[in-house]
Amino acid sequence: MSFDLALFSSKLRKYQEQFQKSLTQVATDTGISEDILAALEKGERQPTGDEVLIFADYYLCD
């Protein structure tokens, strides 16, 4: 099973808007740098397994 980077990045943007969080807030709350978050949201970088788990916990989703 391959990882769908486009789907992941669109979900990150959707959840950020839904939770009304700025990139800075998400970075502070998750410990993931703003540069990495921006690259993930643009689909320029694949997340690590730990990052996926951090986002799932942060945004209360699976």
Side-chain angles (χ1 to χ4, degrees):
M1 185 169 148
S2 66
F3 186 82
D4 189 338
L5 188 55
L7 178 61
F8 181 81
S9 63
S10 71
K11 283 187 176 189
L12 274 185
R13 290 188 305 272
K14 181 185 92 172
Y15 284 126
Q16 184 181 343
E17 288 177 18
Q18 183 178 331
F19 281 72
Q20 298 178 344
K21 299 283 187 175
S22 69
L23 202 61
T24 302
Q25 286 176 303
V26 176
T28 300
D29 294 346
T30 63
I32 299 171
S33 76
E34 286 186 55
D35 290 340
I36 290 174
L37 287 171
L40 289 169
E41 287 185 355
K42 292 176 186 174
E44 297 173 345
R45 178 183 181 281
Q46 188 160 337
T48 65
D50 286 343
E51 290 166 344
V52 172
L53 294 174
I54 289 168
F55 289 126
D57 185 53
Y58 184 70
Y59 289 121
L60 309 171
C61 64
D62 51 344

